[in-house]
Amino acid sequence: MYFILELLGNDPYVWFIIITTALYFILTRNHGYWGSLNVKYVRPLPLFGNSFPTTFCLTQGFKLQQEQYNYLKGQRYGGIWSFWKPKLIILDPELIEHIMIKDFSYFTHREDTIDVSTDPLTRHLVNENGSSWKILRTKLTPVFSSGKLKTMIEQILDCSAACIDNIGQKAAAGKTLEVREEMAGFTMDVIGSCAFGLNLNVMNEPDSKFRKLGHMVFGPSRKAKLRKALSANFSFFLKLVNWKRVKGDFADFFINLVTSVLKYREENNIHRNDFIQLMMELRKEEEKQLKDGTISQIVMDDNTIISNAFVFLLAGYETTANTLSFGLYELSKNPDIQERVYKEVDNVLKKYGGVITWEGLAEMKYIECVISETLRKYPPIIAVVRQSVKPYKVPNSDLELPTKSVVVMPIYSIHHDPKYYPDPEKFDPERFSEENKHKLVKCTYLPFGEGPRTCIGMRFAKMEIKIAIAKLIMKYKLTLNSKTTSPLQYSTKTFFMVPAEGLWVDFSPRTHQE
């Protein structure tokens, strides 16, 4: 014993070996988790699990997901690790249906990584779980009803008119246009109008604070990506150092903006057809119910209104701009598809006196197919995650998942599986035609999620994209500019599918004879 103590005291290399060995065992202590449950898994690294390549921007998230999907092909599910946290990736659409729809009561939660009680701008529908989510979802669902969405068409049309003028001026000046940048300005203006009742005019103001904030929050960034990865996997530590998911300067700006809008409308009795107004009306109804004792507390307080206004920006800016951009990119690559879209829009507009209406939008079936195929090939998010709230016995297996188990639905890989979508890299809107859509396997098309927690703003986003495509295609012919790389190369600095070199498209004014 004395010899061992003397050796430890005099030889730092021994201490190094002991500490290194101890750290290794600590950092790999749960690497046998999936093996012990007889689940095939992707071999993890110490500390990082399977997250190292994406955390440090060495590869795109969808490519890593595809590698895992290919390795586990033939299995209904497989094991992966996000840092040291084991997760179950689901490959079987029937099992996805169970998790997201049939057995939803077991998986009501998104992954619990955020303390909504302390972090600003986080008390919104995406982050809430349990009864808080259910109450908020019930209250917000009417905000996205057909009647409410119909009132916002004019505002989107105004934004699309500004977008067309802006593109026309740049095209006339001989400028090449990067459509992601142009569509980001358009979607930001739509959000400003339909969510906050503000005329942001981001498209025509390159130095707009909102444009800069959009780039800061959503733009590709190694630092921002690392920050998001850490906040998702080390939330327990970040709470100790009071590290917020949303940067303080942006949070302060946004909170002050929405607070001033609320105050101005209340003091001046202003009413607009936008989401802020609809949430204010929900609060007024709650105040009446509180007085008569129907409810015991207000849900739609200022913080909840501000947080859900933020999620409109979060969910409606980058994802909608990306989908619209990829849709225009594919139309520029496929002139036959573009021409069919043009003829459909032209016929519908003639029927409705040259005006885009709610009823006319519903009749633009082929544009709907184009949007659906764009969302398949370029899903806004590459995966959706759920967390169990009680033990779950996986159907037709011996596997039982304990409470707080995290399951991952690999949207990108399922959307690109030739088993469900033959020739998956081909852009083919006919997959979603009335004649063919019944052939789709249930839960193999998940751009907005599925089940009770499907994206609440799905219909608004589709309406916005459809209006933009219809207006642009009637005004311009689209052709791919040589600056666009082929095949597309994607940035590794973001969780979204963002072309590293941009999407460059030429807009040529149509003649009256066309």
Side-chain angles (χ1 to χ4, degrees):
M1 177 64 72
Y2 177 78
F3 169 75
I4 295 174
L5 292 174
E6 184 178 24
L7 179 63
L8 291 176
N10 295 329
D11 195 339
Y13 295 106
V14 175
W15 278 111
F16 174 78
I17 292 171
I18 291 173
I19 292 171
T20 301
T21 303
L23 282 174
Y24 177 81
F25 279 106
I26 291 171
L27 297 176
T28 61
R29 67 188 186 280
N30 66 349
H31 282 191
Y33 181 80
W34 291 122
S36 68
L37 296 174
N38 200 30
V39 173
K40 185 176 180 179
Y41 60 88
V42 180
R43 187 177 295 278
L45 293 174
L47 178 60
F48 295 99
N50 305 116
S51 303
F52 185 85
T54 52
T55 300
F56 293 97
C57 304
L58 302 177
T59 190
Q60 297 89 358
F62 71 90
K63 285 191 176 179
L64 178 64
Q65 180 189 106
Q66 191 63 52
E67 290 174 7
Q68 296 170 347
Y69 191 86
N70 291 340
Y71 178 75
L72 296 168
K73 204 70 181 286
Q75 307 292 315
R76 296 175 63 212
Y77 47 75
I80 57 174
W81 281 262
S82 178
F83 285 82
W84 54 58
K85 185 187 296 183
K87 296 183 178 182
L88 193 69
I89 185 170
I90 312 298
L91 287 73
D92 177 21
E94 185 178 353
L95 183 52
I96 291 175
E97 182 182 3
H98 274 280
I99 289 169
M100 302 190 78
I101 304 173
K102 294 180 178 179
D103 298 330
F104 174 74
S105 62
Y106 289 85
F107 294 94
T108 58
H109 284 29
R110 294 184 187 271
E111 189 176 3
D112 186 15
T113 61
I114 300 170
D115 184 356
V116 298
S117 65
T118 60
D119 211 346
L121 304 181
T122 57
R123 228 176 87 190
H124 52 67
L125 199 57
V126 174
N127 291 333
E128 292 283 10
N129 284 318
S131 60
S132 298
W133 166 79
K134 188 173 183 179
I135 292 170
L136 193 56
R137 177 84 182 202
T138 301
K139 288 185 176 294
L140 288 176
T141 295
V143 172
F144 294 90
S145 67
S146 297
K148 299 293 193 302
L149 295 180
K150 191 174 180 179
T151 65
M152 297 180 187
I153 289 180
E154 286 301 321
Q155 291 156 253
I156 300 176
L157 287 173
D158 288 343
C159 293
S160 64
C163 178
I164 287 171
D165 289 344
N166 181 58
I167 287 175
Q169 291 172 18
K170 291 179 178 178
K175 295 181 179 179
T176 54
L177 298 175
E178 202 285 298
V179 290
R180 281 195 75 256
E181 186 68 19
E182 300 302 323
M183 295 306 107
F186 166 72
T187 54
M188 184 67 85
D189 279 350
V190 170
I191 292 167
S193 181
C194 294
F196 315 127
L198 300 173
N199 180 18
L200 300 179
N201 198 26
V202 170
M203 285 177 287
N204 295 309
E205 294 185 14
D207 295 326
S208 163
K209 189 165 186 177
F210 260 91
R211 183 185 286 270
K212 290 178 180 178
L213 288 170
H215 283 304
M216 181 183 77
V217 176
F218 301 103
S221 164
R222 292 181 188 274
K223 184 177 179 181
K225 190 176 183 183
L226 178 60
R227 181 188 180 95
K228 290 176 183 177
L230 292 176
S231 64
N233 293 279
F234 298 91
S235 57
F236 62 91
F237 172 72
L238 299 183
K239 290 176 186 177
L240 298 177
V241 297
N242 198 32
W243 190 9
K244 306 299 183 184
R245 287 175 67 91
V246 182
K247 289 184 177 180
D249 49 355
F250 177 79
D252 291 342
F253 169 80
F254 192 86
I255 291 168
N256 290 335
L257 172 72
V258 179
T259 300
S260 64
V261 170
L262 294 173
K263 183 179 179 182
Y264 179 78
R265 292 192 186 185
E266 288 171 349
E267 291 179 349
N268 296 278
N269 197 29
I270 301 294
H271 292 268
R272 275 184 57 97
N273 291 323
D274 56 34
F275 293 127
I276 288 284
Q277 188 67 46
L278 294 170
M279 287 191 289
M280 290 175 68
E281 291 171 4
L282 285 174
R283 179 165 65 186
K284 287 180 180 178
E285 183 62 30
E286 283 188 333
E287 288 170 349
K288 292 179 183 178
Q289 293 174 339
L290 188 65
K291 285 182 180 179
D292 62 27
T294 307
I295 61 174
S296 59
Q297 65 178 18
I298 299 289
V299 174
M300 299 301 296
D301 57 19
D302 278 1
N303 184 261
T304 301
I305 290 177
I306 292 168
S307 292
N308 283 283
F310 174 67
V311 86
F312 294 151
L313 173 62
L314 188 70
Y317 172 61
E318 178 77 7
T319 55
T320 304
N322 256 13
T323 301
L324 185 49
S325 302
F326 280 121
L328 296 176
Y329 162 75
E330 288 290 351
L331 290 176
S332 70
K333 278 183 62 181
N334 298 278
D336 54 332
I337 296 175
Q338 181 181 164
E339 187 61 20
R340 185 170 171 182
V341 168
Y342 171 77
K343 288 179 179 178
E344 178 184 71
V345 176
D346 188 46
N347 289 334
V348 171
L349 288 181
K350 286 176 181 176
K351 180 178 178 180
Y352 290 93
V355 178
I356 288 182
T357 64
W358 178 261
E359 294 75 19
L361 287 172
E363 294 180 25
M364 295 179 187
K365 300 293 186 182
Y366 191 65
I367 289 188
E368 185 82 23
C369 295
V370 169
I371 295 171
S372 295
E373 176 68 346
T374 303
L375 289 165
R376 178 201 68 81
K377 191 174 178 183
Y378 311 98
I381 55 171
I382 65 167
V384 64
V385 177
R386 293 289 183 266
Q387 182 172 284
S388 63
V389 295
K390 50 188 173 182
Y392 180 69
K393 175 70 164 55
V394 175
N396 304 315
S397 79
D398 296 325
L399 179 63
E400 182 166 345
L401 300 174
T403 303
K404 290 195 173 183
S405 293
V406 177
V407 294
V408 180
M409 275 56 70
I411 296 174
Y412 176 87
S413 296
I414 291 173
H415 282 193
H416 288 76
D417 191 330
K419 180 180 179 180
Y420 311 120
Y421 298 98
D423 196 4
E425 296 308 314
K426 180 182 178 181
F427 188 79
D428 182 11
E430 284 299 318
R431 302 181 203 270
F432 297 92
S433 67
E434 292 296 328
E435 296 77 18
N436 293 325
K437 64 183 182 181
H438 70 279
K439 301 175 185 177
L440 299 177
V441 176
K442 193 172 180 62
C443 287
T444 60
Y445 182 67
L446 303 165
F448 296 101
E450 188 56 271
R453 290 204 75 146
T454 190
C455 175
I456 197 172
M458 172 181 66
R459 295 170 69 215
F460 176 80
K462 283 189 173 183
M463 178 177 73
E464 178 187 353
I465 295 169
K466 188 179 283 190
I467 289 174
I469 290 177
K471 295 290 286 185
L472 285 166
I473 215 72
M474 290 303 296
K475 185 72 174 180
Y476 302 106
K477 270 191 173 180
L478 312 180
T479 52
L480 202 61
N481 188 278
S482 59
K483 289 181 68 173
T484 301
T485 59
S486 182
L488 293 178
Q489 301 299 313
Y490 295 90
S491 173
T492 61
K493 301 175 186 178
T494 175
F495 292 102
F496 299 107
M497 294 182 69
V498 175
E501 304 299 328
L503 296 171
W504 300 86
V505 172
D506 293 326
F507 292 78
S508 304
R510 290 183 180 270
T511 63
H512 293 295
Q513 289 75 29
E514 289 180 285

